[in-house]
Amino acid sequence: MTGNGTGNTEALREEIRRTRVELGETMEALAAKADVKKRLRSSADQTRERVREQAASTVARVRAQAGLNHTEAQVRQGPMPFVALAAGALAAAVVLLIIRGRRG
């Protein structure tokens, strides 16, 4: 320690500088967590992609079943209207989710 107190002053300035850097980093981290809009958009994008994959899988499964049971459906005339109704409802649900996601 020097007689005029310069050592203490420099040490305090260095500590203040480090504290400011740490505070800046903390504020950046908090700002990222507080960006609710960005986090919701990311979550909506993930959900939208998952729904698209499920819809594609369901459509493929329905098409496969319709192709395999085509002769049976012609004989009974029963399952085709139900399959068409289910596919229409699924398509409507996907469209509504997409529209809802764009509004957010």
Side-chain angles (χ1 to χ4, degrees):
M1 186 150 117
T2 61
N4 61 8
T6 306
N8 276 342
T9 306
E10 290 303 318
L12 286 174
R13 285 185 179 159
E14 181 59 27
E15 185 177 342
I16 290 170
R17 189 194 63 74
R18 280 194 308 262
T19 303
R20 284 182 179 163
V21 169
E22 290 175 7
L23 182 59
E25 291 171 356
T26 303
M27 291 301 294
E28 287 177 9
L30 287 174
K33 284 186 176 185
D35 192 356
V36 176
K37 191 173 184 178
K38 182 177 179 181
R39 290 173 59 197
L40 285 175
R41 193 175 310 129
S42 174
S43 176
D45 289 343
Q46 291 173 357
T47 302
R48 187 178 304 118
E49 186 60 32
R50 194 171 349 114
V51 168
R52 284 182 184 159
E53 290 171 3
Q54 289 174 349
S57 172
T58 302
V59 167
R61 192 172 54 237
V62 168
R63 284 183 179 165
Q65 288 176 353
L68 293 175
N69 297 330
H70 187 64
T71 307
E72 183 182 335
Q74 286 178 337
V75 172
R76 293 189 298 155
Q77 295 294 324
M80 285 309 272
F82 175 73
V83 170
L85 181 63
L90 179 64
V94 169
V95 168
L96 287 174
L97 285 172
I98 291 171
I99 291 172
R100 189 175 186 189
R102 288 185 181 170
R103 287 185 184 173

